[in-house]
Amino acid sequence: MSINARLNTPHEVMSATDVRRAIVRIAHEIIERNHGIDGLAIVGLQRGGTWIAEAITKQINEIESSVTVPVGALDVSLHRDDIGIRPVSLGAITDIPFDLTGATVVLVDDVLFTGRTVRAAMEGLNNYGRPRAVQLAVLIDRGHRELPIRPDFVGKNLPTQKDDDVSATSDGVRITAMNSSNK
Amino acid sequence: MSKSVVIKGGTILNQNGELRADVRIENEIVVEVGANLKGDIELDASGCIVTSGFVDLHAHLREPGKEEAETIETGSRAGALGGYTALVAMPNTDPPQDSVAVIDFVREQGKRAGLVDVIPSGCITLGRQGETLAPMAELAQAGVNFFTDDGFGVQDASLMRRALEYARGLGVTLAQHCEVAELTKGAVMSECQCCTDLGLPGWPAIAEELMVFRDIELVRITGATMHFLHLSTARSVELVRAAKRDGLPITAEVTPHHLSLTQELLASFDSVYKVNPPLRSSEDIRALKIGLLDGTIDAIATDHAPHPRRDKEMSLDMAPPGMLGLETALGVVLAFGDLEIKDAVALLSWNPARIAKVDNAHGRPIAASEPANICVFDPELSWSVDLQRLASKSINSPYVGRTLRGKVRHTIFKGAPTVIDGQAQK
Amino acid sequence: MKHLRSIDELGAKGLLELLQLTVHMAEINQRPVPKVPALRGRTVASLFFEDSTRTRLSFETAAKRLSADTLTFNVSTSSVNKGESLRDTVATITDMGADAFVVRHKSVGIPWQIEQWTKASIINAGDGAHQHPTQALVDCYTIREATHTARFDGMQITIVGDIKHSRVARSNIQAFTMLGAKVTLVAPPTLLPPDVSHWPVEVNHHLDDVIPTSDVLYMLRLQSERMSQGHVPTLREYSEQYSLTQKRVARLRDSAIVMHPGPMNRGVEMQIDPSDIKNSLIHRQVANGVSVRMAVLFDLLGSGANLGGQA
């Protein structure tokens, strides 16, 4: 797939409808992979993953209406590995109103990039208990991994340049190519 | 035979006038004042004022007892660099100057250093304990005519009365450090709004004023001569003004730091600004300056108080109070004192010479057959304190980073130059 | 922000930021494992020249929850109270790798004086009667938590007791007024500084006058030495006029909050047990201490706020 983006102009790679369909598909994949929803819990990463986590959970609960799968939100700022190197501002508060121990936790984020946020999230989860398993669902995988992290469920694979800007909302996913000499 | 010294091209300033002329000095005396004079040593005084050497009524030379802060020699050198030819040495040494042995020692050390006349003052009470009188008659016979317990005020009113009566009989002057100790327990700075914000115990103005008032009244009934050390508040000035109007034999001094620095500086927590009596408000400074102009305050005295660096590095409440003053007095007075040069010289030289009763040798006019104790200074030169180049052993000067105006170029003591071009000669 | 030494140095903006940060830290303290690696590799040194188990432990717990290492110097012995040892102690501990100092000293100004001897961040845990900024942060956070308001506009806060010698009072007066509260000081004239006309406060010498209109009643401790210094004739007289009694509690508004920074002098300023006071938040003040101090440590050492210019 070729990206024909003009410099500094956002280019849409997923429409709102594409996003919605991807979420539905991911919800089915999660249920299929885990042979049902027993012990399942969804945790969205602040801030980009929480709306997706909510949407996936809603979808799962519609598909399998017998039991409600719980959803929570995790702020990973305090577990990052670049504290003291770059300014850190804390996002919204973590809210995990259920016990994770023994659960299969599906972490949800909007864009998977270097993998450092997910590493921080896995460490953060440890504060709340010991999950039976952790799986990863992302709307976009844009490559350029710096750690051995791989997603279990992907909305779309998107090859990018390292300094491109990718933004994902329920209205769609956009990529903006940044001029490298602007660094 | 001593060499002749000529001061060339300066403006001579005497009490009765000014004169552009050279001055020739031989064998400890001024021998000629005139034009185009020649001599073995010629000192350039162009642009400078040539006047009698300064007399400090209030210097802590720390020897004997605290030689790591200063010695009589290093203090004398600091004085000479500041234009001084006589220093009254405060008696809070260890052992204190309440015996002839210590008085003679201090005087001898001064002579050995040979840079200024070191005039030892005596204690009013034995050991400065404030309990019994020191042997003032014996000390007076040994040449002391200025007595103080400086560092403390004499707290007991009836003891102070006796001291004044006794002093009157001897014809000596008592000098008081006015501080009612009960009101200043633990005090670190002046009692003011800044002090309230910092949560520090304050030194209220009345602690000084109560003793000023008391001693004025004691002078009134005893007739003795009294000198007030380092006045710091507006009301103290008012009290002394009224006392002088009543014709009482009272004189007073103020320090250069009390004319130029305010209490708010303590908000920096820098103990270099901690001093006794404390720095006060700008209103107090204004009143002190008016007191200088109308003759209420007779002299500027440095209260030169050296302390070793590690003592001043203690917390604000533990650090000892006191600042250096000898080398910066002129520069501070001309930069911040709002005084004419002639008035400044009167306050630094002529008046204190009289009060210390050394006006037979110091504070003299520059004229033939007068003793040659002379200060030559450039009144316009801007300069700032370089801690590395201070002659004092200590470095607790509050003027680092401030621009001073007026610097001593040469000092002549007993006919010989102790300072040439701002450098000490020995 | 490099240091936390006084509320006025912190400023209103800094105050609000730290209170916001505390919310995050409070959440961490709710977790089954209340620990994050945020300050891993950093060292926090406690330099307590005055004995204070509670505050020191609060700071050390805060450091550990952020995964920082701690060094403790309990130097209430007098030999290190002299100046040169203070300089050597600070320089030595800095050489050992301290990134931050938490200092409590009976002398005003120590947190500013030691700045010249170290590059580490300095946190004032109390300097003489001058400031105790983390206590003010704890108190503001506790009030916010109880009233669910971010600012204190229109709130009437009454501080009772030995204002003159209280660093808690000085810090709190600044913090409460920065958040818009109206502050009234209640004390006998001898326990107030000689001149508070420049402080943004009202003064009243009669506690009973202000009880009905107070939204927060903040009680300060009275040290028994004050009697020998002539500040109060007897402790009994002080208690009668200024202590919190059953009767006075009954006259408080229903919504009024009671607070005390601790430790309490029972029978002196408190004649009633806090557990018998309906709206006492004293236990919350203690509980919130760790969260607040975590926020301070994270802000000074971890958040990158002092990196200046780096993106």
Side-chain angles (χ1 to χ4, degrees):
Chain A
M1 177 170 316
S2 69
I3 311 289
N4 200 355
R6 276 176 48 222
L7 253 33
N8 298 322
T9 308
H11 170 89
E12 188 181 84
V13 294
M14 281 180 85
S15 67
T17 314
D18 293 332
V19 169
R20 197 169 36 80
R21 287 187 186 134
I23 287 176
V24 171
R25 171 174 55 79
I26 289 174
H28 277 100
E29 283 178 359
I30 291 173
I31 300 169
E32 187 185 352
R33 163 82 77 87
N34 290 294
H35 307 291
I37 56 167
D38 199 29
L40 204 59
I42 313 292
V43 174
L45 302 194
Q46 296 280 12
R47 288 189 198 248
T50 45
W51 66 274
I52 303 173
E54 305 262 327
I56 289 176
T57 308
K58 186 157 172 274
Q59 191 61 47
I60 290 176
N61 286 330
E62 274 170 26
I63 299 168
E64 304 264 335
S65 50
S66 51
V67 180
T68 312
V69 170
V71 64
L74 179 67
D75 175 39
V76 305
S77 318
L78 291 165
H79 297 272
R80 293 169 60 141
D81 59 9
D82 58 0
I83 287 176
I85 302 172
R86 323 178 28 221
V88 171
S89 55
L90 302 201
I93 314 291
T94 296
D95 181 21
I96 301 188
F98 47 85
D99 188 7
L100 294 175
T101 299
T104 297
V105 174
V106 180
L107 285 174
V108 181
D109 206 0
D110 53 352
V111 179
L112 177 60
F113 188 23
T114 61
R116 292 185 187 273
T117 304
V118 174
R119 183 212 65 80
M122 288 201 284
E123 195 183 291
L125 278 183
N126 284 340
N127 277 177
Y128 294 89
R130 188 176 183 279
R132 175 159 45 103
V134 179
Q135 294 164 1
L136 176 63
V138 296
L139 188 60
I140 298 288
D141 179 351
R142 61 175 291 195
H144 301 287
R145 213 82 73 232
E146 290 173 6
L147 296 175
I149 302 271
R150 56 128 188 80
D152 297 284
F153 313 100
V154 183
K156 187 182 181 67
N157 283 297
L158 186 66
T160 60
Q161 302 289 347
K162 201 139 189 236
D163 43 305
D164 288 347
D165 184 73
V166 177
S167 84
T169 68
S170 52
D171 294 329
V173 177
R174 289 172 188 77
I175 181 173
T176 309
M178 301 304 218
N179 186 345
S180 58
S181 67
N182 278 344
K183 263 197 290 222
Chain B
M1 286 291 104
S2 70
K3 298 196 170 149
S4 63
V5 177
V6 170
I7 305 172
K8 294 185 75 62
T11 303
I12 297 169
L13 180 59
N14 288 329
Q15 291 196 59
N16 55 16
E18 268 180 41
L19 170 68
R20 290 221 51 199
D22 297 349
V23 181
R24 200 168 111 96
I25 296 157
E26 229 173 300
N27 295 329
E28 302 192 13
I29 304 185
V30 173
V31 292
E32 191 184 350
V33 173
N36 297 317
L37 301 181
K38 298 262 173 278
D40 300 320
I41 301 173
E42 297 197 348
L43 301 175
D44 173 28
S46 48
C48 288
I49 303 286
V50 180
T51 188
S52 51
F54 303 152
V55 174
D56 192 10
L57 291 171
H58 196 147
H60 295 273
L61 301 180
R62 303 294 187 216
E63 187 181 356
K66 212 155 183 220
E67 290 84 353
E68 76 262 37
E70 193 85 282
T71 61
I72 292 173
E73 182 191 326
T74 58
S76 299
R77 188 170 299 118
L81 285 164
Y84 288 89
T85 51
L87 302 177
V88 175
M90 288 289 108
N92 59 330
T93 48
D94 182 16
Q97 289 163 200
D98 63 0
S99 68
V100 176
V102 180
I103 297 287
D104 284 343
F105 170 77
V106 168
R107 199 179 278 126
E108 271 315 302
Q109 290 295 86
K111 285 200 177 110
R112 189 170 309 158
L115 287 156
V116 301
D117 255 336
V118 173
I119 304 156
S121 61
C123 303
I124 296 176
T125 66
L126 206 56
R128 293 165 61 244
Q129 294 299 304
E131 284 162 17
T132 58
L133 294 182
M136 288 201 265
E138 207 180 309
L139 296 171
Q141 263 177 343
V144 177
N145 50 41
F146 200 79
F147 292 81
T148 178
D149 274 1
D150 183 52
F152 304 140
V154 177
Q155 303 298 312
D156 186 327
S158 92
L159 183 62
M160 191 62 202
R161 181 185 179 177
R162 302 278 161 258
L164 283 164
E165 288 167 352
Y166 201 68
R168 194 200 61 223
L170 296 171
V172 298
T173 303
L174 297 192
Q176 189 74 282
H177 164 120
C178 293
E179 179 183 348
V180 175
E182 289 300 312
L183 290 172
T184 62
K185 283 213 169 89
V188 169
M189 61 180 288
S190 180
E191 191 177 278
C192 60
Q193 289 182 345
C194 180
C195 179
T196 294
D197 293 345
L198 296 181
L200 287 166
W203 210 118
I206 53 155
E208 174 176 299
E209 294 150 7
L210 281 176
M211 199 176 276
V212 172
F213 180 84
R214 181 198 78 177
D215 286 357
I216 287 172
E217 296 309 311
L218 289 177
V219 163
R220 201 188 298 278
I221 59 169
T222 61
T225 306
M226 168 75 116
H227 176 75
F228 287 114
L229 300 170
H230 48 47
L231 291 183
S232 71
T233 81
R235 185 129 167 73
S236 292
V237 177
E238 277 170 32
L239 290 167
V240 172
R241 186 177 286 125
K244 283 189 168 183
R245 239 195 328 260
D246 293 347
L248 297 178
I250 284 174
T251 56
E253 72 186 36
V254 67
T255 67
H257 48 270
H258 285 108
L259 293 172
S260 56
L261 303 175
T262 58
Q263 58 211 3
E264 286 75 24
L265 286 166
L266 273 304
S268 64
F269 304 110
D270 191 343
S271 68
V272 80
Y273 298 115
K274 182 179 179 185
V275 66
N276 226 350
L279 299 178
R280 300 278 187 197
S281 70
S282 34
E283 285 76 39
D284 291 310
I285 290 181
R286 229 188 322 270
L288 290 164
K289 288 182 181 174
I290 294 175
L292 286 173
L293 289 174
D294 73 4
T296 303
I297 303 179
D298 306 87
I300 291 174
T302 65
D303 196 4
H304 178 84
H307 289 290
R309 178 199 184 123
R310 64 151 201 287
D311 285 2
K312 277 298 205 179
E313 269 176 0
M314 292 196 217
S315 55
L316 206 51
D317 56 340
M318 305 268 303
M323 311 170 160
L324 297 182
L326 286 170
E327 291 170 78
T328 50
L330 177 70
V332 171
V333 168
L334 292 183
F336 305 108
D338 292 321
L339 290 165
E340 304 284 334
I341 292 173
K342 184 166 184 182
D343 292 329
V345 173
L347 293 160
L348 289 166
S349 180
W350 307 330
N351 296 354
R354 226 179 33 245
I355 294 171
K357 300 199 174 117
V358 294
D359 51 337
N360 52 341
H362 298 274
R364 306 291 308 167
I366 314 285
S369 12
E370 291 289 356
N373 291 313
I374 293 172
C375 162
V376 177
F377 67 88
D378 179 348
E380 297 302 324
L381 185 65
S382 285
W383 62 288
S384 48
V385 173
D386 179 353
L387 288 179
Q388 313 285 25
R389 306 196 45 218
L390 288 176
S392 172
K393 257 179 141 180
S394 299
I395 54 168
N396 52 312
S397 169
Y399 293 104
V400 179
R402 277 171 222 269
T403 305
L404 306 181
R405 198 175 86 234
K407 199 167 198 297
V408 170
R409 194 184 287 180
H410 316 295
T411 310
I412 316 280
F413 172 60
K414 290 199 166 120
T418 50
V419 174
I420 296 180
D421 287 324
Q423 305 289 340
Q425 296 305 295
K426 53 165 152 168
Chain C
M1 201 176 73
K2 175 126 167 84
H3 306 296
L4 176 64
R5 299 183 289 196
S6 68
I7 295 296
D8 52 287
E9 191 178 65
L10 175 64
K13 184 158 165 290
L15 175 63
L16 290 167
E17 279 170 9
L18 283 175
L19 290 174
Q20 188 49 41
L21 206 45
T22 302
V23 179
H24 290 267
M25 301 301 161
E27 184 276 315
I28 294 172
N29 289 329
Q30 300 298 331
R31 299 181 183 183
V33 179
K35 197 167 171 107
V36 292
L39 295 186
R40 192 172 45 209
R42 302 309 195 102
T43 301
V44 177
S46 305
L47 215 52
F48 272 63
F49 291 86
E50 269 186 340
D51 219 8
S52 157
T53 320
R54 191 210 311 225
T55 307
R56 186 168 57 80
L57 286 181
S58 188
F59 270 108
E60 288 180 9
T61 305
K64 293 187 156 119
R65 294 219 169 143
L66 293 169
S67 301
D69 296 318
T70 58
L71 289 171
T72 307
F73 286 79
N74 210 338
V75 280
S76 30
T77 54
S78 60
S79 65
V80 194
N81 271 322
K82 301 270 165 135
E84 68 177 319
S85 303
L86 178 62
R87 170 155 65 107
D88 289 342
T89 305
V90 169
T92 304
I93 299 176
T94 305
D95 288 342
M96 287 185 189
D99 297 292
F101 280 92
V102 178
V103 190
R104 171 174 284 196
H105 201 291
K106 69 169 173 42
S107 296
V108 171
I110 295 283
W112 285 264
Q113 277 188 295
I114 66 174
E115 186 177 1
Q116 56 187 309
W117 300 323
T118 179
K119 290 204 287 281
S121 286
I122 297 165
I123 298 168
N124 183 5
D127 66 321
H130 180 218
Q131 289 269 336
H132 190 357
T134 58
Q135 182 67 48
L137 286 165
V138 167
D139 294 335
C140 288
Y141 184 81
T142 302
I143 295 173
R144 270 184 163 200
E145 186 186 57
T147 61
H148 306 292
T149 56
R151 286 186 54 88
F152 301 162
D153 301 289
M155 207 184 281
Q156 176 62 53
I157 301 182
T158 302
I159 304 179
V160 185
D162 188 358
I163 312 283
K164 189 188 225 174
H165 301 98
S166 171
R167 53 187 169 221
V168 170
R170 283 180 175 78
S171 289
N172 269 330
I173 289 168
Q174 288 176 345
F176 293 158
T177 51
M178 271 178 194
L179 293 176
K182 291 182 64 189
V183 174
T184 299
L185 304 179
V186 174
T190 47
L191 290 179
L192 287 162
D195 177 14
V196 291
S197 57
H198 61 302
W199 281 359
V201 300
E202 307 261 326
V203 172
N204 196 315
H205 302 301
H206 304 286
L207 179 56
D208 290 315
D209 288 354
V210 298
I211 294 252
T213 49
S214 298
D215 296 307
V216 178
L217 195 62
Y218 195 105
M219 306 301 296
L220 293 173
R221 171 190 153 87
L222 181 76
Q223 286 169 275
S224 40
E225 301 92 86
R226 301 299 167 219
M227 188 175 73
S228 59
Q229 293 155 4
H231 289 96
V232 294
T234 60
L235 290 183
R236 198 177 61 105
E237 182 154 314
Y238 177 81
S239 288
E240 284 216 4
Q241 304 294 320
Y242 297 100
S243 73
L244 192 57
T245 60
Q246 185 79 285
K247 257 178 99 183
R248 288 185 170 125
V249 166
R251 291 180 60 234
L252 282 169
R253 282 185 177 150
D254 278 339
S255 54
I257 294 166
V258 174
M259 298 173 73
H260 189 304
M264 264 178 262
N265 239 339
R266 292 185 203 259
V268 180
E269 75 271 2
M270 297 291 278
Q271 302 274 29
I272 174 174
D273 201 280
S275 50
D276 294 332
I277 304 174
K278 185 167 63 111
N279 292 328
S280 160
L281 291 183
I282 295 169
H283 62 291
R284 289 307 305 159
Q285 286 172 280
V286 179
N288 288 327
V290 174
S291 304
V292 163
R293 289 168 178 126
M294 284 168 73
V296 171
L297 287 172
F298 180 73
D299 194 80
L300 258 39
L301 295 180
S303 67
N306 340 316
L307 296 176
Q310 292 183 36

